[in-house]
Amino acid sequence: MGKVILDMSMSLDGYIATADGKDGGLNDWYFSPPEKSKAIVDEMMRDLGVIIMGRKTFDEGDAHNAFDDSPFKIPHFILTHRPRETKDSNGSSYTFVTDGIESALKQAQAVVKDGFYIAIGGGARVAQQYLEAGLVDEIQIHQVHVLFGSGVRLFGDSGMEATPLERVRVIDSRGVTHLKYRIVK
């Protein structure tokens, strides 16, 4: 069925993108991992089975041809209000889901292989919706050592109730601290 992990890079002050929607260097640790971060990258490459993201996140990456060279040769499910045909690119598939977060998760669970996890990997609102619906098992935050001051908040005023967490691990690396929590249900 696949564990569902919200997995995002975030600034120390809680932003996952700059005010203009750009990455702002939050994912640089992934592409040139410091020594201690290499284990996180290796784990992702080994265990990640499916990615769910929002349309805005997809469009941003698609505009920079990021998906043509993506190291993740896995299914991606894109939440959107605008239908589009499935896109295949260099070993990855991109399926556009117009009927909500539960449908995207059900489709992801149908294709994820045993022992692999499903990542909620893009878009603050998408992450908030999955958290509010109680569909996330773990949260993995790559807290980058930077303050943005403004931008797109991951845990903004979503209206969700207090959610107890159990710390699974902390890995402090150069420029980024990797935090992983299990959601106590």
Side-chain angles (χ1 to χ4, degrees), residues 66-80:
F67 298 115
D68 292 337
D69 296 327
S70 174
F72 301 112
K73 309 302 182 198
I74 58 175
H76 294 66
F77 292 89
I78 316 304
L79 288 155
T80 183

Side-chain angles (χ1 to χ4, degrees), residues 34-178:
E35 183 63 31
K36 291 182 181 178
S37 294
K38 184 152 179 15
I40 300 296
V41 172
D42 291 346
E43 178 183 276
M44 291 169 86
M45 294 305 297
R46 182 187 67 234
D47 298 341
L48 178 58
V50 175
I51 297 174
I52 297 174
M53 69 176 69
R55 178 67 182 256
K56 186 175 178 183
T57 301
F58 173 81
D59 286 346
E60 182 68 30
D62 202 30
H64 294 96
N65 299 314
F67 298 115
D68 292 337
D69 296 327
S70 174
F72 301 112
K73 309 302 182 198
I74 58 175
H76 294 66
F77 292 89
I78 316 304
L79 288 155
T80 183
H81 295 291
R82 296 172 289 158
R84 180 174 166 181
E85 288 185 28
T86 296
K87 174 183 177 174
D88 292 313
S89 178
N90 205 18
S92 298
S93 65
Y94 302 90
T95 302
F96 296 84
V97 180
T98 59
D99 53 348
I101 64 170
E102 290 88 357
S103 176
L105 182 57
K106 186 175 181 178
Q107 291 178 59
Q109 289 170 330
V111 300
V112 71
K113 296 176 183 167
D114 287 340
F116 291 84
Y117 71 91
I118 299 166
I120 308 301
R125 188 62 197 131
V126 169
Q128 291 166 7
Q129 288 175 14
Y130 276 98
L131 284 169
E132 289 167 11
L135 298 173
V136 176
D137 300 306
E138 294 180 354
I139 298 172
Q140 180 162 258
I141 299 294
H142 312 285
Q143 191 174 54
V144 179
H145 304 170
V146 64
L147 297 171
F148 278 178
S150 66
V152 179
R153 277 200 182 279
L154 178 55
F155 302 116
D157 295 325
S158 69
M160 68 182 249
E161 295 181 19
T163 304
L165 305 172
E166 176 186 335
R167 187 180 68 218
V168 174
R169 74 172 171 212
V170 176
I171 299 174
D172 188 30
S173 189
R174 190 180 76 249
V176 60
T177 302
H178 305 281

